[in-house]
Amino acid sequence: MILSRLFIVIVVSAALSLSSPTRLLSESVHNKPLSDSGELRVQDMLMNFLTPQINAAVQEYYRQFLLEPPLVYPYFVHITGSERLNGFRGFRLSVTLDVTPVVGPHISVGEDRLTFEISAGPKVELVHYTHLKSDPLPPHWQYIVKKPAR
């Protein structure tokens, strides 16, 4: 148990420390890399770790608008920023993600921005959620719409 927590903290810290103001981890994923890399594997580990929290936040937001809860797959996540909240080598970190929730066969319902605070434990807390845009569903998926998203 302690080893798994330590591993998660190391993976998250490594992923967040690899980003810089001019080049973020997600750029390689966003540009569809042709080969694997250590950086890409670390980002994928971070996405595996955060996917349950991402999906919980997205489903909570969209439940007022849709009858079917959307999902966010790790490859529909773009890291837009990260920072240490308590100085060099501090283990209170913030990561901001742009996500594309989908229903059915990967039909986008919109775009959202989530900011998580991650700390030792591991502890993951959603600190900010912003709905960026809504995508119209095709006619054969309109039956899941409760009301249009704001």
Side-chain angles (χ1 to χ4, degrees):
M1 181 72 164
I2 290 178
L3 284 177
S4 67
R5 286 182 178 183
L6 180 60
F7 173 76
I8 290 170
V9 169
I10 290 169
V11 166
V12 169
S13 299
L16 294 175
S17 67
L18 287 175
S19 67
S20 70
T22 58
R23 184 168 181 275
L24 296 173
L25 286 173
S26 58
E27 285 181 0
S28 59
V29 173
H30 189 57
N31 294 330
K32 297 183 179 149
L34 299 176
S35 64
D36 204 3
S37 68
E39 184 178 311
L40 185 58
R41 285 188 299 275
V42 170
Q43 178 173 335
D44 289 348
M45 283 187 265
L46 177 61
M47 290 308 103
N48 283 338
F49 172 67
L50 290 177
T51 294
Q53 288 85 358
I54 292 168
N55 277 313
V58 165
Q59 290 172 6
E60 176 63 26
Y61 175 79
Y62 282 94
R63 75 181 191 161
Q64 61 189 316
F65 305 109
L66 301 174
L67 295 172
E68 182 171 320
L71 293 173
V72 176
Y73 294 97
Y75 43 86
F76 286 144
V77 177
H78 180 73
I79 298 174
T80 60
S82 66
E83 66 179 301
R84 289 184 189 274
L85 299 175
N86 60 340
F88 178 69
R89 295 298 294 160
F91 287 90
R92 252 185 72 232
L93 303 140
S94 173
V95 62
T96 300
L97 312 167
D98 282 357
V99 302
T100 303
V102 299
V103 292
H106 294 80
I107 300 168
S108 172
V109 298
E111 291 180 19
D112 302 280
R113 179 168 292 144
L114 291 73
T115 301
F116 289 99
E117 186 175 308
I118 303 168
S119 57
K123 180 182 173 192
V124 177
E125 180 182 353
L126 177 68
V127 293
H128 194 34
Y129 189 108
T130 304
H131 179 68
L132 300 175
K133 75 171 196 150
S134 297
D135 291 335
L137 292 173
H140 62 285
W141 276 88
Q142 288 296 315
Y143 71 94
I144 72 166
V145 177
K146 286 184 184 178
K147 66 180 181 178
R150 306 175 276 187

